[in-house]
């Protein structure tokens, strides 16, 4: 089983919290409508739940198939998993993204549907080696869409955002009230 990379999970959850927690604080400080503040809180918690559910994706490989699944706690309407038999995989096709990156799709004999190779999993190199072993397709040149340094940089900026929010909060609460 290959879960999403912990670095990606930690970075994205922290970024979401760093961007949304100040909204709740501002709603309280401005003494806004209590009902609207409660609705904002519920909405942001729902958003956090949806993010955590999306980040719960798992890639499962066995002798017969590759599958993308979600844990049972993720609601069925939110799951978009798939399963593909190794016998049905005929090729791995490369496509360019709008941002210039490369993604890979499994192709089947019917070529009626393509299945995206999960690229943000922990142990991506081992995953591609297993795909190569099971299908006979050369995956030597397949690289992850985003390199770890990109998420480390985003995590660094997210931590800087948290730091600036903390500094602003400390200044706000330590300053004397306005008359």
């Amino acid at each position: 089983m290959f879960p999403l990379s912990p670095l990606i999970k930690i970075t994205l959850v922290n970024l979401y919290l760093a961007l949304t927690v100040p909204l709740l604080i501002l709603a309280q400080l401005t003494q806004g409508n209590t009902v609207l503040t409660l609705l904002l809180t519920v909405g942001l918690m729902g958003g956090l739940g949806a993010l955590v559910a999306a980040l719960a994706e798992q890639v499962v490989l066995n002798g017969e198939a590759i599958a993308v699944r979600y844990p049972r706690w993720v609601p069925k309407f939110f799951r978009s998993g798939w399963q593909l038999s190794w016998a049905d995989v005929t090729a791995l096709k490369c496509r360019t993204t709008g941002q210039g990156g490369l993604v890979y799709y499994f192709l089947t004999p019917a070529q009626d549907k393509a299945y995206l190779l999960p690229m943000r999993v922990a142990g991506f190199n081992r995953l591609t080696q297993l795909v190569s072993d099971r299908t006979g397709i050369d995956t030597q040149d397949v690289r992850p869409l985003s390199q770890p340094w990109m998420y480390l940089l985003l995590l660094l900026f997210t931590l800087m955002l948290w730091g600036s929010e903390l500094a602003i909060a400390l200044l706000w609460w330590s300053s004397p009230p306005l008359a």
Side-chain angles (χ1 to χ4, degrees):
M1 182 170 57
F2 295 87
L4 225 58
S5 167
L7 175 61
I8 294 171
K9 289 180 183 181
I10 290 167
T11 300
L12 294 180
V13 168
N14 265 294
L15 180 61
Y16 179 85
L17 291 173
L19 293 172
T20 59
V21 166
L23 297 174
L24 298 172
I25 295 170
L26 286 172
Q28 288 296 316
L29 290 177
T30 58
Q31 297 169 353
N33 185 324
T34 307
V35 174
L36 292 178
T37 302
L38 181 62
L39 286 174
L40 176 65
T41 304
V42 169
L44 293 178
M45 294 303 287
L48 180 60
L51 176 62
V52 170
L55 295 174
E57 179 182 276
Q58 305 165 347
V59 180
V60 180
L61 283 83
N62 60 31
E64 292 132 26
I66 179 171
V68 173
R69 297 187 179 145
Y70 289 85
R72 287 191 183 127
W73 62 265
V74 176
K76 286 194 186 280
F77 69 87
F78 199 79
R79 300 180 201 178
S80 61
W82 52 265
Q83 182 168 337
L84 181 62
S85 169
W86 292 122
D88 292 337
V89 177
T90 58
L92 197 59
K93 185 153 184 140
C94 178
R95 293 277 187 212
T96 305
T97 67
Q99 293 81 27
L102 298 175
V103 293
Y104 297 85
Y105 289 91
F106 291 111
L107 297 181
T108 61
Q111 294 191 355
D112 58 341
K113 191 172 182 184
Y115 299 85
L116 182 65
L117 173 68
M119 302 183 81
R120 292 185 171 96
V121 296
F124 180 76
N125 291 333
R126 193 169 59 110
L127 172 73
T128 56
Q129 183 59 49
L130 288 170
V131 167
S132 180
D133 293 346
R134 301 277 160 68
T135 63
I137 297 171
D138 182 21
T139 59
Q140 197 170 5
D141 294 331
V142 176
R143 300 282 177 260
L145 180 61
S146 352
Q147 298 299 322
W149 68 265
M150 296 175 182
Y151 282 97
L152 285 170
L153 191 60
L154 182 58
L155 181 60
L156 173 68
F157 287 132
T158 301
L159 294 175
M160 290 170 59
L161 180 60
W162 274 118
S164 65
E165 290 171 2
L166 179 62
I168 290 169
L170 290 174
L171 285 172
W172 180 271
W173 279 297
S174 66
S175 63
L178 298 173

